[in-house]
Amino acid sequence: MKKSNLIYLLSLCLFISSCSDDDPATIEPPKGDFENGYFVTNEGPFQNGSGTLTFVNDDGSVSQNVYKTVNGEDLGNIVNAMYIEGDKAYIVVNNSHKIVVVDRYTMEKITVIEGDEINNPRYFVANNGRGYVSNWGDPFNTSDDFIAVIDLNSNAVVDVVSVGEGPEKMIIEGSNLFVCMQGGYGINNQVFVMDTNQNSIRDFIVVGNVPNSITKDSNGKIWVLCGGSPSWTGSETSGSLYKIDPSNLQDEKFDFLLTEHPGLLNHDNGRIYYNLDGKVYQMNIEDSALPVDALNGLDGIYYSMEVNNGELYGTDAGDFASEGTLKVFSVTSGSQLETIATGIVPGNIVFP
Amino acid sequence: MKLSIFLFFLGSGLIFSQNDSINKLDEIILRGNFSPVMNSGYKVSVLTDSLLNRSYKSLGNLLQEQANFYFKQNGNGMVSSISLRGTAASQTGVYWNGIEINSALNGQTDFNTLQANSFDELEIRKGGGSVLFGNGAIGGAINLKNNVSFQPDARGEVLLGAGSYETYFSQLNGLFSTDRIYIKAGFGLSASENDYPYLGTDLKNDNGSYSNYSVNTTLGYKLNEKNVLTLNASLFDNDRNLSRTLTTESNAALLNTDMRLLVDWEYLGNRFTSSLKAAFLHEDFNYLFNQEITDNTSKGESKRWIGKYDLSYFLNKEMFFRAGLELENSQGSGTSISEVEQTDFSTYLLFHHQPIKEFMYNLSLRGGASSAYNIPFIYSFDAKYLVSQNLALKTGFSSNYRLPTFNDLYWEPGGNPDLKPENSLSGEIGIDYHHKMFSISGTAFVIKSDDLIQWRPVTSDFWQPQNISEASNYGLEIMGFIKQNFGVHFLELKLQYDYTKAMDDETDKQLIYVPKHRASMLLNYFWKQWDFNYNLQYVGEVFTTSSNTQSLDAYWLSDVSFSRRLLKDRMDIGFAINNLFDEKYQSVAFRPMPNRNYLLQINFKI
């Protein structure tokens, strides 16, 4: 994090604490070593290893392999995602077929959710005491994919909702769960909308091929970015961007050119960001057309990308056989603020 | 069993009777391009049949013990790939009776799909040798040989064995020969639950079972004193479940079958020898991601037709030429490769000269053409100088290539048809000292490679192989051998140590899975009907990340075995303890290797 942000944050804290209460005894003790900062999940080497977590403290210090350091065990093979809900974090370990639940401040393991109803888990989101896990099932079986619904008090799977091939990233808006049906090893072109009150199917919205990322804007609209079918499939299709109104599921579509395959959709402060051919584009959420020019200074083929508070975080997995890096940029100035070492194949940047 | 059969022969000379052309001719007939005279500057080692037939072992395990080679194994019995002098698995040429058998699909040999006792001899020749051997012989070349001999004989042999983790194996061999005809056939079977515990955990190798069988036949027919026809056929069928890792369960399996056929016509004249070979090689694999879903698999297959002609012509006692032509048509297909076909042609010329008794050298060239890529023009020089009866100095310098494989060129998606062959330059100097009771040798080598093919991400989900990386390897190899008689007690000891630096030129880091230090000790003790063997291996730390930040610990491994001959040497009972000290070790990260285990075998000869 940028130094000015830190000062800002510190001043804000001082301001709040000094305003709310003058008694220093009420300042809460730190809840753990991982309270203030953000995480990078590292998939780890694909076949023969364990994924790890990197923690970037707001004070600038970086800790690698924090889960193993705290718990003395490996996290598992292919750490695909992590989601922070309340005082817990849910770490999705894809190839070890489990969700590791930890105290989000101390990283101490609380429990592991596993069993037949966690099978090739991909992503996790939570709301109102329920967690939702997208599962591929057997990656070569196109009809066994599902969303597992977890009671976050008991950490038990309480429901399973079958979906089509390759559920991936998800987002919750109100009582709706939106799931990108990216297609797993194949190609799919839907957004699955689940009513979380009933755990029932509300709709399958047909979008472009390969919906690879999803976000929610400040007006509550859902944005879905579709990469389109790449040229090597032999039937290339263009990328596309969808803006969906969650109340009526009506969508507005933005088309890319046939050979354009965007990814890594993000929203920050009223603007949409995505990556196309190693360049970062920005559009206002009210714009009626895709941007023509890329932002300056932010170029990179990122393995994952987040825009948060005016800063762009992009990871580079390098040769996939050694530690990757995370670069942080100022979106407005296009200048690089820092480079942070990560674990092997940094796949997600997770802000509390 | 004769004691001498355990000797690891220092093939490359220090044997002085081989000065005349008759002996050189014989040697060329016997050893082809692996003959020491054509590899004067290199060391050619030979492992003999008695060593290969002693037990039912994978070729990889045997070479680890006997030749100090380093293999990377995905668990016991799983895919095993070699790294000679720090090069990639596809940069060791593996030959079967002179025919290259590295997979056309991935360019490598899985040393757990070859059974040591399927062969009569192994010839090992380290160092760059693409000029003589062709594609891929950069770190070195290994030839798996089946020999014929026209001495009247009739023999049968049965080997039965059992070991830990429900391991069973058997081998049946029959041989019949006259002064004109040679027939040998062998049939081997092996199966194991292979469910060894992962030391230090509650896990075991619960998806590691395998079973395989092999059939090998060699037929020889002596047309007359000058002409011999041989036919070799070999089949190996392997069905393996693929081991889990420490962090991931596995339900995967790999089935593969290799079939090889070779007809060879050899001519031995007064001034020249020739060999005409025609071979057909077929490989196929079926990778099951999940054994329960048999319709979702990844398959691949290749067929190769190879014609090879080699001719040696002696100008006089001191000089000869050798020339060869090779033509290969190969076809590949599979789940991720549509029907592809290519034709490669190459030719080489070697000139051997021994101007004085103490000095000999070879100069050679190779060039070729292909429908798929440009085959580079390469050259080689090597020489040997005998300082004294006991001391030889050697040197070799060569340029070498490794051709792209079907997977590199045609894999869908990503295959890159514009790939060029990998190039390397290599040089070495060696010294051999030989005494009646002991020998010692040392070799220092350098390999400089560029245009190395590596799969790299073009976008985050699209990978493509490119001629992108460069590497510099250098190192030192030392071997000592000593034997001693104490009355009826006979002892021999072999010590080997290899130091290998293999650096990625871009990052200046050691390549992953190349140990800097590798050593082994082999102690054999014979007394009357008893044999005792102790094998100690050391594999140094290997890095598992290209940034050299993570590594696997070095390990020491001890295997011991005893055997006793009975019934006038017609029967042999052996007992072995592998990993005697229960060392916890991994060859590949997160894939533990077996704990202490036991093996019992009985061998009958008829």
Side-chain angles (χ1 to χ4, degrees), chain B residues 134-338:
Chain B
N135 177 31
I138 293 174
I142 301 168
N143 191 27
L144 320 173
K145 281 187 72 182
N146 300 99
N147 293 334
V148 297
S149 126
F150 298 103
Q151 265 144 26
D153 197 1
R155 269 187 283 151
E157 197 173 358
V158 182
L159 175 78
L160 295 171
S164 304
Y165 328 124
E166 294 174 60
T167 303
Y168 303 97
F169 53 90
S170 66
Q171 173 82 29
L172 204 64
N173 286 330
L175 184 152
F176 174 78
S177 57
T178 69
D179 57 355
R180 298 293 291 268
I181 295 169
Y182 178 89
I183 301 171
K184 185 177 177 187
F187 178 69
L189 262 179
S190 149
S192 176
E193 268 307 304
N194 200 24
D195 55 349
Y196 54 88
Y198 289 179
L199 289 175
T201 73
D202 299 331
L203 302 169
K204 59 176 185 167
N205 190 34
D206 50 18
N207 191 55
S209 68
Y210 61 78
S211 64
N212 57 57
Y213 67 86
S214 62
V215 184
N216 290 281
T217 311
T218 303
L219 304 175
Y221 182 64
K222 193 174 186 176
L223 294 166
N224 51 44
E225 284 308 311
K226 290 177 186 276
N227 292 283
V228 171
L229 273 178
T230 56
L231 179 131
N232 279 293
S234 123
L235 175 71
F236 188 85
D237 185 279
N238 205 4
D239 178 349
R240 285 179 282 188
N241 288 349
L242 299 177
S243 292
R244 61 165 298 145
T245 69
L246 284 171
T247 54
T248 325
E249 288 177 27
S250 168
N251 202 15
L254 177 63
L255 312 173
N256 54 282
T257 310
D258 288 295
M259 207 259 284
R260 304 181 179 110
L261 267 177
L262 167 67
V263 182
D264 190 2
W265 170 32
E266 290 195 326
Y267 174 80
L268 172 64
N270 293 329
R271 292 177 81 94
F272 73 94
T273 73
S274 77
S275 151
L276 177 65
K277 290 178 159 76
F280 174 70
L281 308 177
H282 182 265
E283 67 176 312
D284 76 70
F285 76 86
N286 188 3
Y287 184 101
L288 286 77
F289 300 92
N290 179 342
Q291 294 159 63
E292 283 142 33
I293 304 174
T294 50
D295 53 348
N296 266 315
T297 69
S298 177
K299 295 181 184 180
E301 180 184 17
S302 82
K303 290 176 198 161
R304 302 164 65 193
W305 293 94
I306 300 168
K308 202 166 181 291
Y309 183 68
D310 298 285
L311 174 81
S312 317
Y313 179 75
F314 280 76
L315 294 171
N316 52 39
K317 282 202 307 195
E318 291 83 34
M319 281 188 255
F320 70 83
F321 282 100
R322 173 135 168 129
L325 290 174
E326 267 177 65
L327 190 61
E328 173 172 340
N329 176 271
S330 44
Q331 295 159 32
S333 62
T335 312
S336 299
I337 291 180
S338 46

Side-chain angles (χ1 to χ4, degrees), chain B residues 25 117 205 244 268 270 460 548 575:
Chain B
L25 272 170
N117 61 358
N205 190 34
R244 61 165 298 145
L268 172 64
N270 293 329
S460 63
N548 289 185
F575 179 69

Side-chain angles (χ1 to χ4, degrees), chain A residues 275-281 294-302 305 312 314 327 329 334 336:
Chain A
N275 193 299
L276 172 63
D277 296 332
K279 293 184 183 306
V280 177
Y281 292 80
L295 293 173
N296 284 322
L298 306 177
D299 293 2
I301 295 176
Y302 301 121
M305 181 179 104
L312 182 131
K327 287 176 180 164
F329 300 87
Q336 189 176 326

Side-chain angles (χ1 to χ4, degrees), chain A residues 109-151:
Chain A
K109 181 166 90 170
I110 296 168
T111 189
V112 174
I113 307 170
E114 57 190 338
D116 292 344
E117 286 153 337
I118 301 293
N119 189 351
N120 257 307
R122 302 293 299 168
Y123 286 89
F124 188 102
V125 290
N127 191 27
N128 285 336
R130 291 287 166 94
Y132 303 89
V133 185
S134 52
N135 288 269
W136 280 9
D138 186 309
F140 299 94
N141 182 339
T142 56
S143 60
D144 69 341
D145 304 46
F146 62 96
I147 305 296
V149 183
I150 292 167
D151 179 334

Side-chain angles (χ1 to χ4, degrees), chain A residues 48-49 96 138 140 319 321 323, chain B residues 247-248 290 296 546-547 549 591:
Chain A
N48 315 311
S96 295
D138 186 309
F140 299 94
D319 64 356
E323 292 75 6
Chain B
T247 54
T248 325
N290 179 342
N296 266 315
S546 57
S547 50
T549 51
R591 295 181 177 275

Side-chain angles (χ1 to χ4, degrees), chain B residues 430-490:
Chain B
I431 181 165
D432 279 5
Y433 182 78
H434 187 75
H435 186 266
K436 211 168 102 189
M437 301 307 274
F438 72 95
S439 62
I440 185 159
S441 67
T443 307
F445 66 86
V446 182
I447 307 170
K448 183 88 190 66
S449 307
D450 59 19
D451 286 334
L452 293 173
I453 296 168
Q454 252 189 14
W455 283 75
R456 293 229 176 148
V458 177
T459 64
S460 63
D461 57 358
F462 181 66
W463 292 56
Q464 195 166 44
Q466 293 159 15
N467 290 101
I468 200 161
S469 90
E470 295 182 8
S472 301
N473 303 16
Y474 55 93
L476 196 64
E477 295 160 346
I478 298 168
M479 193 189 101
F481 177 80
I482 185 160
K483 57 183 178 179
Q484 198 62 253
N485 260 336
F486 305 97
V488 291
H489 304 273
F490 186 85

